[in-house]
Amino acid sequence: MEVESVKVHPIDENLNGDICDIKTPISDGTTIIGIIYGHGVMLACDTRTSSGTLVSNKCSRKINRINENIYVCRSGTSAHSQKVIEIIKHYCLSMKSENRKKGRFHEDEVIHDDVADEDIDIDKINNASNFNNNNGNNLVTKHKYFYEDKFMDCNPLVENVAHITKKLIYANNNFLSCGLIFGGYDKQKKQQLYSVNLNGSIIEKYDYAVSGSGSIYIQSYLQDKYKKYMTKKECFDLILNCVKYAMYNDNSSGGIVRIINITKLFVEEYTVTNTQLYFDY
């Protein structure tokens, strides 16, 4: 019985054998989106963080709290965006301290919740048949946070925070590589949405803002489905489907979906662990 010899070819030295280079910066190749609806603003993102072709973190947090009424979605290089947010938080604390010195006395003044939106039924979503929830785990979880400063006397304005960030990125655009979407609610301009791009330019959005590598897959979908003065349920369904479609088509987006709902009196955070799409062909 003859044994066929196997010829071993030497590895080409010109090829890069180190696929996962530790010098590759950690990047948020991502999908971030913000949508304004009738009584607030929603932000959403995926959770995949990559370093080259390596997924370094599949459950990262790309929505950060700047203040109790202001949140930001970040994309680009993780280290750059995290440092920018750290600096902006410091500015927010300074502005809150200045506003607190001015003071305002609310004698027998009551703030009313004039929002009559239908709440999102989490149990109905978890028990839906298309989620295939066979193990009894909650696929959508919800947390609700009420504002400490109910009258928003001390909280900084969303516009001011966004423009400070714009100046910071513009002054260092040769070194920084990050894009941010700010969403928030204040007593002057109500719900607001700002997009700060890589070059330091800022755009105030009156409908929706998207950024990241997965945004190109959902631009047309948003243009078709978006409408003004949506209810909270309609906005939730739209923003969730947008991130799901982006994750389905974009290899740099994945993980779970985080959604933040910012309103007049409180902030709600939703976490969606099931991101499967079901197509009926």
Side-chain angles (χ1 to χ4, degrees), residues 88-220:
I88 296 306
K89 284 183 178 180
H90 171 73
Y91 278 111
C92 277
L93 289 175
S94 300
M95 286 188 284
K96 287 185 72 172
S97 299
E98 290 296 324
N99 293 337
R100 194 174 288 113
K101 291 178 182 178
K102 300 175 184 178
R104 184 184 170 196
F105 183 64
H106 301 275
E107 184 177 3
D108 299 329
E109 188 174 351
V110 180
I111 186 169
H112 297 283
D113 185 8
D114 52 358
V115 178
D117 259 354
E118 179 186 0
D119 201 8
I120 299 172
D121 192 350
I122 301 299
D123 294 332
K124 183 178 179 180
I125 298 176
N126 288 330
N127 296 328
S129 59
N130 60 347
F131 269 73
N132 295 326
N133 189 12
N134 298 323
N135 54 9
N137 294 332
N138 289 330
L139 302 177
V140 180
T141 57
K142 171 185 172 182
H143 299 279
K144 193 171 185 177
Y145 313 99
F146 287 90
Y147 298 145
E148 294 181 1
D149 183 12
K150 294 182 179 180
F151 297 95
M152 292 192 178
D153 293 332
C154 303
N155 287 333
L157 301 179
V158 184
E159 184 179 15
N160 293 346
V161 174
H163 277 83
I164 290 175
T165 309
K166 168 246 180 184
K167 291 182 179 179
L168 180 63
I169 294 180
Y170 181 77
N172 301 277
N173 62 356
N174 292 329
F175 313 101
L176 296 177
S177 176
C178 61
L180 305 172
I181 294 179
F182 286 88
Y185 195 105
D186 59 48
K187 61 182 180 180
Q188 286 194 7
K189 299 179 70 174
K190 310 302 180 184
Q191 59 267 35
Q192 297 160 71
L193 196 61
Y194 294 91
S195 176
V196 182
N197 299 324
L198 297 173
N199 58 358
S201 60
I202 184 171
I203 304 173
E204 182 176 3
K205 297 288 188 176
Y206 297 97
D207 43 13
Y208 58 83
V210 289
S211 183
S213 58
S215 62
I216 59 175
Y217 300 102
I218 55 176
Q219 289 278 5
S220 299

Side-chain angles (χ1 to χ4, degrees), residues 45-47 58-59 243 247 254-258 271-275:
C45 68
D46 69 310
T47 59
K58 64 179 181 180
C59 198
V243 180
M247 292 166 62
I256 62 177
V257 181
R258 301 188 196 275
T271 303
V272 184
T273 58
N274 190 317
T275 59

